[in-house]
Amino acid sequence: MSQGVKRRYRSPRRTEQANATQREIMEAARRLFSAQGYGSTTMEAVASAADLSVATVYLSFRSKFGLLSALVNDAVEDPSLDVEQVLNAAGLQRQLEIGVHLIRQLHERTAPISGILRSGRGSDPRLAALWDDWQARHLAAVSQVARHLAAAGWLRAGLDDAWAADVLYTLSGSETYRQLVVERGWQPAEFEEWLADSVRRLLLLP
C-alpha cells in the first residue's frame, strides 16, 4: 500500500508573525545604521534595539550584509514609490508633481542606506555590487519616464529620450540629493521644488 507524499503545513498566522518580526529587525537596523553607521552596528545591537534574541536576527537575515540587502530591496521595491504612478497620472503637470514628490520620498527614506553603499563600495565588493544595482534601478526608472515623455511629444525640440534619461538620472539621483540636502542644508521640500523647476526648464516644452 503506497503512502502519499507528506506536505509541509504552512500556517498563515506563523508566516504573518515571521514577516512582522523581520520588519521589526529591519526598522531597528535602519535606525542604527542612520545613527551610528553600518560599520559600527553589530547584529547584537540590532537584536537589542528590536528587543529580540540574536539568534532570531541571524535566523531572519544570516548576516549584517543580508540585513542591509533587505533594506535596499525594501526601498526599491516599495509599491508606494512605483514609477507607474507617474506614468498613469492624467496630464503632464500632474505627472511631474507626482514624480518629483516620489523622488523626494525615496531619498528621505534611503539617504542613510545610499550613504552606506557610496562610502563602502571602494572597500567591499558586495557593497559595490549593491551600489551598482541601486544606480541601475534608478536609471531604469528614469528611462521609463523619458521614453514616456518622448512618446507623448512633451520633450523640447531636438531632445531624445536617451539624453532626457541622462538628465533625469543626474537631477534626481542620490548624489544630487546628498549634495543639496545633506551637504548644503536644503530642506527636502526645496529640493522637490528645484527638481520640478529644473525638469521643466531643461526637458519640457514651454
Side-chain angles (χ1 to χ4, degrees):
M1 185 175 182
S2 62
Q3 294 182 347
V5 177
K6 292 183 178 180
R7 296 183 179 180
R8 181 178 296 175
Y9 175 69
R10 295 182 178 179
S11 167
R13 183 177 180 182
R14 184 174 298 173
T15 300
E16 183 178 341
Q17 290 174 337
N19 290 339
T21 298
Q22 289 182 341
R23 298 301 305 180
E24 291 176 7
I25 296 170
M26 290 169 64
E27 286 306 313
R30 194 193 312 273
R31 293 194 303 270
L32 290 176
F33 289 162
S34 300
Q36 61 191 38
Y38 177 73
S40 299
T41 299
T42 64
M43 293 290 270
E44 289 77 12
V46 172
S48 177
D51 198 21
L52 296 167
S53 70
V54 177
T56 298
V57 175
Y58 274 106
L59 183 63
S60 298
F61 294 100
R62 297 190 178 182
S63 68
K64 187 168 66 170
F65 176 75
L67 185 47
L68 178 63
S69 298
L71 288 172
V72 170
N73 288 332
D74 183 62
V76 298
E77 295 175 4
D78 187 343
S80 70
L81 301 175
D82 195 327
V83 71
E84 290 296 327
Q85 295 182 65
V86 179
L87 306 182
N88 294 333
L92 176 59
Q93 179 60 30
R94 185 57 182 155
Q95 290 179 6
L96 180 61
E97 291 173 354
I98 292 175
V100 297
H101 189 63
L102 290 183
I103 289 293
R104 170 189 169 179
Q105 287 183 306
L106 172 66
H107 291 317
E108 283 186 299
R109 296 181 193 179
T110 63
I113 297 172
S114 63
I116 290 168
L117 301 182
R118 181 189 304 105
S119 62
R121 70 187 190 273
S123 57
D124 189 331
R126 298 175 305 170
L127 296 185
L130 274 183
W131 172 262
D132 290 343
D133 182 61
W134 180 277
Q135 297 296 81
R137 293 192 193 214
H138 174 55
L139 179 59
V142 297
S143 294
Q144 272 188 276
V145 174
R147 288 192 295 270
H148 172 75
L149 294 174
W154 289 335
L155 290 180
R156 288 182 178 273
L159 302 186
D160 60 22
D161 62 291
W163 196 90
D166 287 345
V167 172
L168 289 172
Y169 177 84
T170 303
L171 292 176
S172 63
S174 59
E175 292 288 272
T176 304
Y177 182 87
R178 176 182 62 84
Q179 290 171 333
L180 294 178
V181 176
V182 178
E183 293 184 3
R184 300 305 306 153
W186 286 25
Q187 293 300 312
E190 292 178 298
F191 171 81
E192 180 179 342
E193 183 179 351
W194 169 85
L195 179 57
D197 182 61
S198 297
V199 171
R200 289 191 193 96
R201 289 187 294 104
L202 294 174
L203 295 180
L204 304 180
L205 289 171

